[in-house]
Amino acid sequence: CKKHGNEWKLGACECLPKKTLAVDSIASSIEDTFVRGMHAKCPGCNASIQRSDACTYIQCNVRSGAWFCYFCEQSIPSLSDGTWDIEHNENWETRKDRCPLFLSEHPLLDNQPDEQQTAYFHYFKTLRLLKQLRTDFLQRNMESIPEGYCEAEWKSHLIEVWNDAMRKKQFIWQDSPFNYVEGLANYPDERSFQCALP
């Protein structure tokens, strides 16, 4: 600590930032992210919808009746003959702006048993959202490093805040077969995929 001259250690000085509010704030965002990862938002009415089968086309049964893609949450236009415009799915294997018609076609999900593909889709979607949340949290807070911290010390503090928040929300996934902490550390590199990730 530059102010007290002692070795820097998280929690060793009263001049170091308190992390309770930051932990509570990020923990709340983590909980919201888990809810978001388990559903899709209807583009017509913002209702949260969950599906149980592997087809990515879904109709809102809450309010709007809109058809949309469960994978990316974009509206799917219907044609005059009552069918859907399949352009949304064309060449999805090599275009990140397109989606598979069935979850079973995606390389992250194709080896999973049929009855578990939707659960794995939600798992990978939640991991992607958590990864983005963590990146945003670190970037936002690294913009202003408090006096008395070097960059590495402040980043270490922020990572501890994140880890505390994840531990605080363990009840969300404690009964899940998935390990979200380990999964987040091993989330696939999006650059190694030509297609969009869940």
Side-chain angles (χ1 to χ4, degrees), residues 119-182:
Y120 273 91
F121 169 76
H122 290 142
Y123 171 65
F124 283 113
K125 179 181 178 184
T126 302
L127 288 179
R128 179 179 52 79
L129 294 171
L130 283 170
K131 181 180 175 187
Q132 185 60 53
L133 180 67
R134 182 179 186 267
T135 299
D136 293 348
F137 169 72
L138 290 174
Q139 285 177 347
R140 187 175 62 251
N141 287 287
M142 287 300 291
E143 289 173 0
S144 57
I145 299 171
E147 188 178 334
Y149 278 83
C150 72
E151 186 174 326
E153 291 168 342
W154 182 239
K155 187 169 185 180
S156 175
H157 172 74
L158 293 175
I159 289 170
E160 185 162 333
V161 168
W162 173 269
N163 291 338
D164 282 354
M166 284 291 284
R167 282 190 290 273
K168 192 170 190 174
K169 291 300 174 183
Q170 279 181 338
F171 72 88
I172 298 172
W173 69 85
Q174 66 187 6
D175 296 328
S176 169
F178 302 114
N179 183 329
Y180 286 90
V181 174
E182 187 178 298

